[in-house]
Amino acid sequence: SSCRSMDSRAGLAATPGALPYYVAFSQLLGLTVVAMTGAWLGLYRGGIAWEGALQFNVHPLSMVIGLIFLQGDALLVYRVFRNETKRTTKVLHGLLHVFALVIALVGVVAVFDYHRKKGYADLYSLHSWCGLLVLVLYFLQWLVGLSFFLFPGASVSLRSRYRPQHVFFGAAIFLLSVGTALLGLKEALLFKLGAKYSTFEAEGVLANVLGLLLVGFGVTVLYILTRSDWKRPPQAEEQALSMDFKTLTEGDSPGSQ
């Protein structure tokens, strides 16, 4: 414990022993999910192209890369980068969310454009309703987070009051994204395989394994996020600023935190 307190006094937070292994496991799962999605589309759906019948396949790959893998990694930024400055970590967190949103929008445009060209109906399935909800919530969460935490306008008091909501909705939207991906995977299998799905077709088995890996990635990310002893501890200068603010505005003693 004396070594840990020395680390704290030096401004460096000791990394919990098991955290790097869980993070590495999450990345292994996430990359496997992306690779297996690509393999599924390549082996059984003809690959990916922006024109023609293969345009639809841009949708699942984009959503898995954007709203599953990159969104999950954006949530893990505050656990992984424990000793970087808060602003650097915030910028990285925000940028990963931007990349995730842009890639997801490419996937949404692809499926709507494909439906329009084929004359298919839009937004009738539970998958599409959940997907629309995810996109709206994700964009609002990103917009409000940007306004509160990256721009200097919001007060420290307002940020501290909103932070628990931001953390909760971040995790909730991520889990909703995983659930929506599972719905889309099942829908795609039923459309193509129909009754053959129950005969353990190779594509169905591969896609089921992909679904389990999606669940594994989601659960692993959520576990890392909810371990209270793995949270990024405030750095010395952050604690000093926070305590000074509370003392000046609310009359609290620095020790009350």
Side-chain angles (χ1 to χ4, degrees):
S1 64
S2 61
C3 290
R4 186 169 295 178
S5 61
M6 285 174 65
D7 279 344
S8 300
R9 281 195 295 271
L12 294 176
T15 301
L19 176 59
Y21 297 102
Y22 276 89
V23 171
F25 181 60
S26 75
Q27 296 312 286
L28 179 63
L29 281 175
L31 290 170
T32 304
V33 163
V34 172
M36 192 171 279
T37 303
W40 167 53
L41 296 172
L43 289 170
Y44 298 104
R45 300 293 169 125
I48 293 171
W50 191 256
E51 294 297 331
L54 302 182
Q55 184 178 14
F56 175 84
N57 294 345
V58 174
H59 175 71
L61 186 61
S62 295
M63 301 327 256
V64 165
I65 293 172
L67 287 184
I68 305 294
F69 183 58
L70 287 181
Q71 183 183 183
D73 276 6
L75 298 181
L76 294 179
V77 159
Y78 287 103
R79 301 295 178 271
V80 176
F81 299 100
R82 304 173 65 77
N83 292 308
E84 281 67 22
T85 64
K86 193 71 176 285
R87 184 161 187 84
T88 302
T89 317
K90 279 182 188 177
V91 169
L92 180 58
H93 176 75
L95 279 176
L96 281 172
H97 278 309
V98 170
F99 293 145
L101 185 61
V102 168
I103 293 171
L105 287 175
V106 170
V108 170
V109 170
V111 74
F112 275 105
D113 195 41
Y114 174 78
H115 282 181
R116 180 183 59 80
K117 291 171 182 173
K118 293 285 185 179
Y120 295 159
D122 289 317
L123 298 174
Y124 64 89
S125 67
L126 179 60
H127 167 69
S128 60
W129 286 23
C130 288
L132 192 63
L133 178 64
V134 165
L135 273 176
V136 170
L137 289 176
Y138 193 79
F139 179 70
L140 289 175
Q141 167 87 342
W142 182 82
L143 207 60
V144 176
L146 183 73
S147 306
F148 274 49
F149 298 118
L150 271 177
F151 291 136
S155 70
V156 175
S157 174
L158 193 60
R159 288 178 185 179
S160 63
R161 281 201 296 269
Y162 172 66
R163 187 172 287 109
Q165 282 75 34
H166 184 73
V167 171
F168 168 79
F169 280 108
I173 293 166
F174 172 66
L175 288 183
L176 187 55
S177 301
V178 173
T180 302
L182 294 175
L183 284 172
L185 190 60
K186 181 72 179 292
E187 192 176 284
L189 290 172
L190 289 177
F191 273 153
K192 185 183 175 190
L193 298 180
K196 288 196 294 182
Y197 187 24
S198 64
T199 65
F200 290 91
E201 285 276 313
E203 180 182 355
V205 173
L206 184 144
N208 285 351
V209 172
L210 172 57
L212 289 177
L213 288 169
L214 278 164
V215 171
F217 180 66
V219 168
T220 304
V221 169
L222 190 66
Y223 179 74
I224 295 169
L225 289 176
T226 53
R227 278 284 297 262
S228 58
D229 54 330
W230 288 358
K231 289 182 180 177
R232 181 184 191 269
Q235 294 175 345
E237 67 273 17
E238 294 167 27
Q239 257 178 334
L241 283 171
S242 176
M243 288 189 290
D244 286 346
F245 176 83
K246 285 181 73 67
T247 304
L248 287 169
T249 59
E250 300 170 20
D252 291 348
S253 67
S256 64
Q257 284 208 332

